[in-house]
Amino acid sequence: MTLILTFLGKGGTGRSTVAIAAAQKLSAVGKRVLLISQEAGPALSMLLGSEAGEAIGAKAAKVTLGSSSFQVVQLQTTVLLDENWEKLKSFEAQYLRDPFFKAVYGQELSVIPGMDDFLALNAIREYTESNQYDVIVHDGSGDQSSLRMWGAIGGIDWYFRRFKKVFQDSQFYRSISPFIGPITGAILSGGSSGDIWSRPETRSVESMVAKGKALVSDPMQLRAYVVTTADEVAIAQGKYLWSAAQQIGLSVTGAIVNSISPGQAETTGAFAPLPLTTLPYSVGGDRWQRLAQALPALTEPVSVPAAMSVDAANSTVKLFLPGFDKTQVKLTQYGPEVTVQAGDQRHNLSLPPALNGRSVTGAKFQDGYLIISFG
Amino acid sequence: MTLILTFLGKGGTGRSTVAIAAAQKLSAVGKRVLLISQEAGPALSMLLGSEAGEAIGAKAAKVTLGSSSFQVVQLQTTVLLDENWEKLKSFEAQYLRDPFFKAVYGQELSVIPGMDDFLALNAIREYTESNQYDVIVHDGSGDQSSLRMWGAIGGIDWYFRRFKKVFQDSQFYRSISPFIGPITGAILSGGSSGDIWSRPETRSVESMVAKGKALVSDPMQLRAYVVTTADEVAIAQGKYLWSAAQQIGLSVTGAIVNSISPGQAETTGAFAPLPLTTLPYSVGGDRWQRLAQALPALTEPVSVPAAMSVDAANSTVKLFLPGFDKTQVKLTQYGPEVTVQAGDQRHNLSLPPALNGRSVTGAKFQDGYLIISFG
C-alpha cells in the first residue's frame, strides 16, 4: 500500500524544503519514493539544485540527492488535461452513437479554476494505484485550497447522492421522464440504457469514491504534517490548518518547526498533543542529509487522536477539532445528513449504518473534541 | 470606475503586508478603499493588529490604521455559497414550472475545488459594480491559482462559445432536437423558450462576460504588482508569475521588493523594464505608515509594455512575455481560435474583427515579445 505524505502551513515556512528532505530520508532507507509538486514555476527545480533540478518535468524522473535517489514529477495541468481529454473521448466513442467531444482537441482547452486540483487528485490516484511507490510525498499549496482537494472526493460524492435523490423526487424528473428512454436510445450505442444508476460504469465510479473516502481518513494511507516557523502568524495559521484538516477527516500526525534563519526562537506547545520536531537551520551542500536526519519517522503507525471516531454503543461521534471553539463550529441537519461547518468548510459526516439517518439530539465541546449524540 | 490592485509572488514574501500598506496609503489620500482577502485563517487579522483585526469578517467592515480608515472583508466561501444559492433558487423559481433546487438548503452544500475562485470573482464583480469604492486591494493566493481566477472569465467564455458550436453542429443535437421543444415547454414557466441563445438572460450573461474580459486587460481597471524579497528563488518565481500574468492578458505594472529581514541584499534588474520599488525593513507601531510612504503611486496611468497589442495594418499581434523564451511558448490553431500556451496556461486570443478567423502564417520571439503574423 502506498502512503501519501502532505504538508500544510503558511506560505514561506519552507514546505517544499521539508518535502524534499522527507523524500531524501525515505529513499535513503530503501523506500520507493515519488515527490509530486503542484507548484508551477522554477522554485522546486532551484531548490533541488542545478544537477538534480534539470530533470524536473511533467513526467516522473529520477533525481539523485546525496547518496539516494527518488522520482520527482511537477504536475502540469495542461498536460494532464490533454491526457484526460483523450480518455474522455475514447470513453465517449465507446458509448455514444455520435460522439461530439471528438470535434474538440485537448490542446485547445482552457484551464479554469478547480481543474488543477481535480486533475492533480486524479494523477495522485493513478500514481497510488500503479503500486510503483511505497511513499508519495505531496508538495501542494499547503493551505485551504489543498484541503479543498483532499475534501473533494467526499464533496463530489455528496453532490451526486443529494442531487440524484432530489432529481428523482422532483416533478421536473416526472416531466422529462417520458423523453429519457427515446433520448438515451438515440444517443447511446446499443440503444436504451436501462437504469443508468445501476450500470457497471456507475458502480465502478461508486467503488472508486468509496476507496478515495477511506484513503483520506486513514493515516496509514494519507497523513498531513503541519510545517511552521517560530513566527507567531505562521504558528496561528498552522494551528488553523491543523483544525481545518481534522474537520474534513484528514489526520494531522505531527508538527515540524522549520528554522529559516539562524538563532530562531523556540516554539512552545501550540501543537500539543502532536509530536513536534524542530529542524536545524541548514544551508550548504549537505543540508538535505542534515534535514532528513532531523525529521521524525514519517511512515510509522501514529498514536495521535483520530480526526473522527464513532462510539456506536453510546450513539456518539467524536470529532477532534483542536483549534476551534464552540462558537466557530456549526452543526446542522438540514438535509438527510449531518453537516459540520467550521473553518470555511463543510463536511457531511460519513456515518456507520447504525447511526445513519438518525437525528442529532445533542452536541458539546470538551477538551478540543466535538461530541455529537444521536437519538 | 473602480481600480483593482492585486499582488503576485511566492508565499512568504509579504504580499498581505504590502496589500495592507497599499490600502493605508490610498485611504490616507482620500480614496474609498476596500481590502479583499481570500486567505482563510487568522493571519490577516493578526497582521492588522488586535484593535483593527477584530472587525474582520465575511461582511465589509471599517478598520482604522493610523490616521486613515478603509473597509476590509475576508471572503468566506461558505457564506458566498449560501447567498448565491438563494439567488439561484429565486432565478429558478422565476423560470421553471417545478423548481427542484428549492429542496436543497444552501447550508448543506459542500465546497469543492474551483468554487472558492468562482465565488470570489463574483464577489469582486459585485463590489466593483456597487460603485462604493475607488480602489479594491485584492489579497489573493498570489500564485498560479490567482491567475486561474483572473483568466476564468476568458476561459469560461471560450468553453461556452466552443461547445455551443460543437453542440449545434453535432448529430447528437440533431438526435435530441425533436425533444427539445416539448422538454423546455414542460419545464419552463411560460412554455416554449424560443431560441435559448437569444433570450434576454443569455444576452445579459454575454455582456457581463464582455465587460469582465475588458476589465482583465485594462490596467486602469485591474493591475498586478509582483512582490518579492531579495531571495533568488522568490525572484525567479516572481519573474515566472510576471510572464504568466502577461500571457493571460493581465498587465503587471511594477515590482515591489519587500525587506523581510534587516540588511537585505540589493535586488538587481530582474524585472526591467518594470518600475521597481524597494520597501524598508519595518517593524513596530508606525510600520504601516512607513511602508505606505515607500510604496509607488499605485493608481496612476502606467507606461509599461501592454500584455497584448494589435497592429491591424500589418496584421500582427504582439504579446509581451518577458520571462519566457521560444521553447516555452506554444502557439496552436487547432480550433477556430489561436491559442497561446506557456507557463501551464492556455490563452485563446481575443482578436479584433480584422484578424478574427484568419490563419497564423508566422511567429517569432524578439526582445521578450512574441510577434504573431496573420495571413
Side-chain angles (χ1 to χ4, degrees), chain A residues 92-116:
Chain A
E92 182 202 46
Q94 197 180 337
Y95 290 104
L96 294 194
R97 266 181 212 277
D98 303 301
F100 72 97
F101 287 158
K102 70 169 180 192
V104 178
Y105 293 86
Q107 288 77 357
E108 292 179 77
L109 301 173
S110 294
V111 183
I112 56 172
M115 280 188 184
D116 300 271

Side-chain angles (χ1 to χ4, degrees), chain B residues 59-355:
Chain B
K59 286 210 177 310
K62 182 174 147 179
V63 301
T64 302
L65 271 193
S67 56
S68 63
S69 299
F70 52 90
Q71 302 271 312
V72 181
V73 63
Q74 185 177 28
L75 297 184
Q76 285 182 25
T77 303
T78 45
V79 173
L80 295 174
L81 186 57
D82 297 356
E83 289 171 7
N84 282 282
W85 186 249
E86 287 310 311
K87 284 184 206 160
L88 183 68
K89 284 206 279 191
S90 72
F91 189 83
E92 180 202 47
Q94 199 181 336
Y95 290 103
L96 294 194
R97 268 179 212 277
D98 303 301
F100 73 95
F101 287 157
K102 71 169 180 193
V104 178
Y105 293 86
Q107 288 78 358
E108 292 178 77
L109 300 173
S110 294
V111 183
I112 57 173
M115 281 189 182
D116 300 272
D117 281 329
F118 281 116
L119 290 167
L121 196 61
N122 189 49
I124 294 169
R125 182 185 68 80
E126 288 175 348
Y127 284 120
T128 304
E129 291 181 354
S130 76
N131 288 323
Q132 287 185 58
Y133 305 102
D134 301 309
V135 182
I136 288 176
V137 179
H138 172 249
D139 184 25
S141 65
D143 57 9
Q144 186 95 331
S145 121
S146 264
L147 296 178
R148 294 280 190 250
M149 185 180 87
W150 297 116
I153 308 166
I156 288 288
D157 177 45
W158 179 85
Y159 277 94
F160 273 106
R161 279 183 292 120
R162 186 74 176 101
F163 282 90
K164 174 183 162 186
K165 185 169 159 33
V166 169
F167 182 66
Q168 289 178 332
D169 290 350
S170 69
Q171 294 201 29
F172 176 85
Y173 180 68
R174 284 188 288 259
S175 302
I176 70 162
S177 58
F179 308 107
I180 291 180
I183 288 183
T184 52
I187 63 177
L188 286 182
S189 63
S192 176
S193 65
D195 178 4
I196 54 164
W197 310 110
S198 58
R199 284 175 70 93
E201 306 82 43
T202 312
R203 298 233 176 253
S204 123
V205 169
E206 277 171 1
S207 101
M208 207 162 81
V209 165
K211 262 163 70 181
K213 282 172 70 176
L215 180 148
V216 171
S217 58
D218 174 6
M220 291 311 290
Q221 293 189 72
L222 171 66
R223 59 175 70 175
Y225 286 84
V226 170
V227 178
T228 182
T229 61
D231 172 62
E232 58 163 7
V233 177
I235 291 172
Q237 199 68 15
K239 250 196 110 162
Y240 171 84
L241 291 166
W242 173 25
S243 302
Q246 300 274 129
Q247 197 244 321
I248 57 162
L250 166 59
S251 291
V252 176
T253 56
I256 295 168
V257 186
N258 197 10
S259 304
I260 55 171
S261 56
Q264 178 176 279
E266 280 292 304
T267 306
T268 57
F271 296 96
L274 292 185
L276 185 111
T277 306
T278 302
L279 300 182
Y281 176 66
S282 209
V283 286
D286 63 344
R287 69 187 290 217
W288 298 118
Q289 213 170 324
R290 279 184 289 141
L291 289 173
Q293 273 166 7
L295 281 175
L298 295 164
T299 59
E300 305 300 310
V302 281
S303 61
V304 295
M308 171 170 148
S309 54
V310 177
D311 180 348
N314 291 309
S315 302
T316 57
V317 169
K318 272 170 83 175
L319 303 179
F320 182 48
L321 303 174
F324 294 137
D325 61 41
K326 65 180 177 187
T327 65
Q328 291 168 296
V329 179
K330 219 167 91 184
L331 197 69
T332 56
Q333 199 172 20
Y334 282 101
E337 296 183 37
V338 179
T339 310
V340 180
Q341 178 175 328
D344 205 18
Q345 297 177 128
R346 295 211 181 100
H347 182 206
N348 290 288
L349 299 182
S350 284
L351 296 172
L355 297 181

Side-chain angles (χ1 to χ4, degrees), chain A residues 228-232 235-236 239 242 255-257 264-278:
Chain A
T228 183
T229 62
D231 172 65
E232 58 163 7
I235 292 172
K239 249 195 111 160
W242 172 25
I256 295 169
V257 186
Q264 178 177 282
E266 280 292 303
T267 306
T268 56
F271 296 96
L274 291 187
L276 186 111
T277 306
T278 302

Side-chain angles (χ1 to χ4, degrees), chain A residues 63-140:
Chain A
V63 302
T64 303
L65 271 193
S67 56
S68 63
S69 299
F70 52 90
Q71 303 271 313
V72 180
V73 62
Q74 186 177 29
L75 297 183
Q76 286 182 24
T77 303
T78 45
V79 173
L80 296 174
L81 187 55
D82 297 355
E83 289 171 5
N84 282 281
W85 187 248
E86 288 309 312
K87 282 184 207 161
L88 184 68
K89 285 207 278 192
S90 72
F91 189 83
E92 182 202 46
Q94 197 180 337
Y95 290 104
L96 294 194
R97 266 181 212 277
D98 303 301
F100 72 97
F101 287 158
K102 70 169 180 192
V104 178
Y105 293 86
Q107 288 77 357
E108 292 179 77
L109 301 173
S110 294
V111 183
I112 56 172
M115 280 188 184
D116 300 271
D117 281 329
F118 281 117
L119 289 167
L121 196 61
N122 189 49
I124 294 169
R125 181 185 67 81
E126 288 175 347
Y127 283 119
T128 304
E129 291 181 354
S130 75
N131 288 322
Q132 288 184 58
Y133 305 102
D134 301 309
V135 182
I136 288 177
V137 178
H138 172 248
D139 183 26

